[in-house]
């Protein structure tokens, strides 16, 4: 990637949500804001390639997107209403100060996560409007077709406009209920950052994980008593802490058992553990923990261990058992099976994993987990087939590299069944 | 912004029949707070007639255009600044009517 391409990618990650949020506030329409922002970024790609970078890419994008939005409104007004045109021409809305723009991003999130929208629509819209992901990237994250995702987003925008879903912070009464929807969405954004998709994307997109953490911190400041907010923040911090050890120098993803634990971020771990202890105290006092608090506790067990052998797997499994009762999804069952493999061996775990075949056939982690269990059972040929399928489905460049190495290590190993061995 | 607020009843599991005084009180409030545009309860769907005059002559059919377990029992039209306000009122309306409520914006 050239310097200009890198700068465009960087500007996109850093400025997208800011530009969309500011335009939505100014022009009162999410769809036009998104289109104007997208146009501005397209123009940036052309101009910056030809003329080099502007001194302040963020300001350049905001100004350009504003102009695009006004052009767009003028074009539309020429078609139907000359009167409105005059209003736009005389719009002297002052540019938003920086602090207010940060608030706009929260507004944007609450609008995208509005309860009158279907859950899938909230997630998709937040990733598009706040995360700035493309529709194909979002489609990949949710294992659906690009066209399906496009329709989902278009429909959600149309509903926001037609039903007049407001662009503002929810009232104090509504806040707790509105927050849990936002948390689900933020966790998905975090995950997209932690296991980024796309052939030209870095394996870990720190901008997205950092953005998800930043917004979760903000919501925690608003709702310090909410256990799930604390749980989600702890979970993100304990995962983020391992990021420095997660990608090798060659860009390959490093699995938990091979990570250099000395490279983990001790400060983030300490903060995450503090939050988990806070929630354990609440649980001891009779407050039932939600799924994020349990997931955070699982990650606290991992980050407390000096190495993989030191991990308290029975504690991990007990927490997964608790989690399965709250959320009987096949992905949780798959992760639970990994703990089962450590305690009861790969054969028992493989039996559990095989039962998930139908639900998770299109999920790369299902095939990667199977491949690893089959490898440990010495079933190289089946393991290789599972690695092949996982590589085919994995959208993360670092993960593809990791899976390819593991598969090729299988091939290097002599096969006991061959007569000349 | 105007919203059509539909009260949905269920033939196999109807809402309670003693809601009239509570609905009247709620209507008074809607009027006082400036949300009320129109309200009306509907007779049973059996009393409906569908007319189709797209062909050579008008065809009348007895009953509603769609037969379903759930049906429209009454409507409001509300004037509200945005969907959040309409949804808050609709949540109250659902309790007051002891029935499900659909909120749908006018174009």
């Amino acid at each position: 990637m050239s310097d200009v391409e890198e700068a465009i990618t960087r500007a996109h990650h850093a400025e997208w949500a800011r530009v969309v949020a500011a335009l939505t506030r100014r022009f009162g329409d999410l769809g036009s804001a998104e289109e104007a922002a997208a146009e501005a970024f397209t123009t940036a790609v052309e101009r910056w390639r030809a003329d080099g970078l502007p001194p302040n890419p963020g300001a350049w994008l905001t100004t350009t997107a504003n102009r695009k939005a006004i052009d767009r409104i003028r074009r539309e007004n020429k078609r139907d209403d000359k009167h409105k045109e005059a209003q736009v021409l005389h719009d002297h809305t002052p540019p938003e100060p920086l602090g207010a723009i940060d608030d706009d991003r929260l507004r944007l999130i609450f609008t995208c996560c509005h309860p009158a929208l279907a859950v899938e629509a909230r997630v998709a819209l937040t990733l598009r409007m706040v995360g700035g992901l493309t529709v194909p990237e979002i489609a990949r994250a949710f294992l659906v077709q690009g066209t399906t995702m496009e329709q989902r987003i278009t429909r959600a925008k149309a509903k926001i406009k037609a039903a007049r879903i407001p662009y503002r912070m929810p009232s104090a009464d509504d806040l707790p209920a509105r927050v849990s929807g936002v948390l689900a969405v933020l966790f998905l954004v975090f995950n997209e950052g932690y296991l980024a998709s796309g052939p030209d994307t870095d394996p870990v997109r720190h901008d997205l994980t950092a953005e998800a953490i930043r917004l979760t911190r903000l919501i925690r400041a608003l709702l310090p008593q909410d256990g799930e907010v604390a749980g989600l923040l702890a979970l993100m911090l304990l995962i983020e802490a391992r990021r420095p050890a997660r990608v090798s120098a060659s860009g390959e993803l490093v699995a938990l058992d091979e990570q250099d634990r000395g490279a983990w971020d001790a400060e983030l771990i300490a903060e995450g553990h503090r939050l988990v202890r806070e929630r354990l105290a609440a649980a001891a006092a009779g407050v039932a923990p939600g799924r994020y608090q349990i997931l955070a506790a699982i990650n606290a067990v991992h980050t407390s261990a000096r190495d993989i052998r030191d991990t308290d797997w029975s504690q991990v499994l007990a927490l997964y058992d608790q989690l399965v009762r709250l959320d009987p999804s096949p992905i949780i069952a798959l992760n639970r099976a990994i703990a089962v493999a450590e305690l009861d061996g790969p054969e028992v775990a493989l039996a559990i994993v095989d039962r998930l075949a139908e639900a998770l056939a299109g999920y790369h982690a299902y095939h990667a987990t199977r491949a690893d269990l089959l490898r440990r059972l010495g079933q190289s040929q089946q393991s290789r087939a599972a690695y092949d399928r996982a590589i085919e489905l994995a959208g993360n460049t670092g993960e593809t590299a990791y899976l390819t190495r593991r598969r090729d290590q299988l091939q290097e190993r002599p096969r006991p069944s061959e007569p000349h061995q | 912004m105007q919203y059509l607020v539909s009260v949905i009843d269920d033939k196999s599991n109807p809402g309670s029949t003693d809601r009239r005084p509570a609905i009247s009180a709620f209507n008074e409030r809607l009027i006082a707070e400036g949300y009320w545009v129109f309200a009306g309860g509907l007779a049973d769907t059996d009393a409906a007639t569908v007319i189709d005059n797209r062909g050579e002559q008008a065809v009348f059919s007895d009953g509603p255009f769609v037969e379903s377990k759930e049906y429209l029992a009454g409507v409001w039209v509300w004037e509200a600044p945005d969907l959040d306000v309409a949804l808050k009122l609709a949540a109250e309306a659902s309790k007051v009517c002891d029935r499900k409520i659909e909120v749908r914006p006018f174009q």
Side-chain angles (χ1 to χ4, degrees):
Chain A
M1 225 188 261
S2 75
D3 285 354
V4 172
E5 304 299 319
E6 258 182 43
I8 291 167
T9 309
R10 240 195 341 268
H12 189 267
H13 292 172
E15 305 296 339
W16 173 268
R18 238 187 275 279
V19 173
V20 174
L23 290 184
T24 306
R25 181 147 160 100
R26 181 163 176 201
F27 298 101
D29 177 54
L30 205 55
S32 317
E34 179 207 7
E35 281 161 17
E39 272 184 63
F41 278 97
T42 309
T43 309
V45 172
E46 292 164 10
R47 287 282 170 78
W48 298 1
R49 271 181 194 153
D51 308 339
L53 290 181
N56 183 345
W60 189 98
L61 284 164
T62 307
T63 308
T64 308
N66 259 299
R67 210 173 290 146
K68 299 277 182 198
I70 292 171
D71 285 351
R72 180 173 284 275
I73 290 166
R74 280 184 187 152
R75 272 201 307 277
E76 280 165 16
N77 288 345
K78 261 196 194 109
R79 278 204 301 272
D80 47 51
D81 190 353
K82 286 277 177 196
H83 190 67
K84 274 191 211 151
E85 182 180 10
Q87 285 180 347
V88 173
L89 289 171
H90 296 290
D91 183 0
H92 296 303
T93 313
E96 295 291 340
L98 222 68
I101 290 170
D102 284 346
D103 265 4
D104 275 348
R105 283 198 281 185
L106 255 186
R107 263 172 230 270
L108 187 63
I109 286 184
F110 276 114
T111 301
C112 292
C113 299
H114 197 276
L117 301 170
V119 173
E120 307 86 58
R122 295 178 212 171
V123 169
L125 208 56
T126 303
L127 286 177
R128 176 74 192 119
M129 300 298 170
V130 187
L133 304 199
T134 64
V135 175
E137 282 169 340
I138 303 167
R140 183 196 287 277
F142 298 101
L143 317 173
V144 302
Q145 296 288 317
T147 46
T148 309
M149 190 51 79
E150 182 77 64
Q151 282 166 359
R152 192 178 289 175
I153 292 173
T154 305
R155 217 181 136 254
K157 284 188 293 190
K159 180 164 183 181
I160 288 173
K161 196 175 182 177
R164 201 180 286 182
I165 288 179
Y167 188 60
R168 63 154 181 258
M169 292 288 288
S171 67
D173 302 355
D174 292 341
L175 203 57
R178 295 287 301 276
V179 164
S180 84
V182 172
L183 294 186
V185 168
L186 290 178
F187 191 39
L188 282 153
V189 173
F190 180 85
N191 280 333
E192 176 54 30
Y194 198 65
L195 197 67
S197 53
D200 301 321
T201 309
D202 288 339
V204 177
R205 282 181 57 184
H206 172 56
D207 55 335
L208 280 184
T209 57
E211 183 71 1
I213 288 173
R214 194 186 72 84
L215 291 170
T216 309
R217 280 189 195 283
L218 199 53
I219 291 172
R220 173 153 165 87
L222 284 171
L223 283 178
Q225 304 303 320
D226 189 305
E228 281 294 84
V229 174
L232 180 61
L233 181 57
L235 175 61
M236 288 178 177
L237 293 172
L238 293 175
I239 297 174
E240 178 76 356
R242 309 201 292 261
R243 191 171 52 82
R246 194 151 182 274
V247 182
S248 74
S250 61
E252 188 183 300
L253 228 56
V254 183
L256 189 59
D257 59 337
E258 293 178 328
Q259 284 181 13
D260 170 14
R261 296 185 178 220
W264 288 357
D265 189 322
E267 215 168 294
L268 290 182
I269 289 175
E271 189 186 353
H273 285 186
R274 257 199 314 278
L275 287 165
V276 170
R277 276 196 299 274
E278 179 191 308
R279 294 321 306 163
L280 285 175
V287 184
R291 66 188 299 261
Y292 296 122
Q293 293 167 71
I294 298 171
L295 283 168
I298 291 168
N299 279 275
V301 176
H302 285 306
T303 44
S304 300
R306 280 189 309 273
D307 60 50
I308 197 83
R309 287 177 304 280
D310 186 44
T311 305
D312 185 350
W313 287 104
S314 59
Q315 183 65 31
V316 172
L317 185 60
L319 287 163
Y320 269 116
D321 286 341
Q322 204 179 340
L323 188 55
V324 165
R325 284 196 291 276
L326 275 183
D327 178 5
S329 80
I331 291 180
I332 299 288
L334 180 71
N335 290 324
R336 180 182 169 277
I338 296 169
V340 170
E342 297 302 324
L343 285 169
D344 303 329
E347 203 165 357
V348 181
L350 186 63
I352 296 171
V353 169
D354 281 343
R355 283 201 291 274
L356 306 169
E358 204 181 319
L360 298 178
Y363 184 46
H364 68 89
Y366 162 77
H367 298 282
T369 305
R370 266 195 93 234
D372 186 57
L373 294 172
L374 288 163
R375 177 190 62 80
R376 286 155 74 176
L377 290 165
Q379 300 180 30
S380 304
Q381 216 168 340
Q382 283 171 281
S383 173
R384 188 170 306 119
Y387 274 123
D388 285 342
R389 188 78 186 114
I391 291 163
E392 217 173 286
L393 291 168
N396 181 282
T397 50
E399 193 165 31
T400 309
Y402 164 75
L403 292 168
T404 306
R405 176 173 64 84
R406 296 306 287 251
R407 184 194 59 189
D408 294 350
Q409 280 173 346
L410 274 180
Q411 282 168 336
E412 281 162 20
R413 207 170 288 164
R415 292 189 213 169
S417 61
E418 283 171 10
H420 63 269
Q421 293 293 331
Chain B
M1 182 94 189
Q2 291 196 335
Y3 296 90
L4 176 70
V5 180
S6 307
V7 181
I8 303 156
D9 207 351
D10 187 330
K11 284 185 176 156
S12 59
N13 183 24
S16 51
T17 50
D18 60 352
R19 311 310 299 162
R20 211 170 275 267
I23 294 169
S24 294
F26 184 61
N27 271 328
E28 292 301 323
R29 233 193 75 206
L30 289 173
I31 292 166
E33 291 172 10
Y35 300 120
W36 195 91
V37 176
F38 174 83
L42 294 171
D44 197 272
T45 53
D46 288 349
T49 312
V50 175
I51 300 98
D52 187 352
N53 195 19
R54 292 171 300 175
E56 298 217 332
Q57 62 179 42
V59 177
F60 298 87
S61 27
D62 183 16
F65 77 99
V66 59
E67 284 288 358
S68 63
K69 208 161 68 70
E70 291 187 316
Y71 69 100
L72 191 61
V75 295
W76 269 289
V77 176
W78 292 343
E79 175 69 48
D82 60 50
L83 186 67
D84 278 3
V85 175
L87 290 180
K88 225 181 180 82
L89 291 170
E92 286 184 57
S94 174
K95 279 254 189 295
V96 166
C97 301
D98 188 32
R99 279 159 181 87
K100 290 206 283 189
I101 303 286
E102 181 193 282
V103 177
R104 190 166 164 193
F106 280 91
Q107 268 185 342

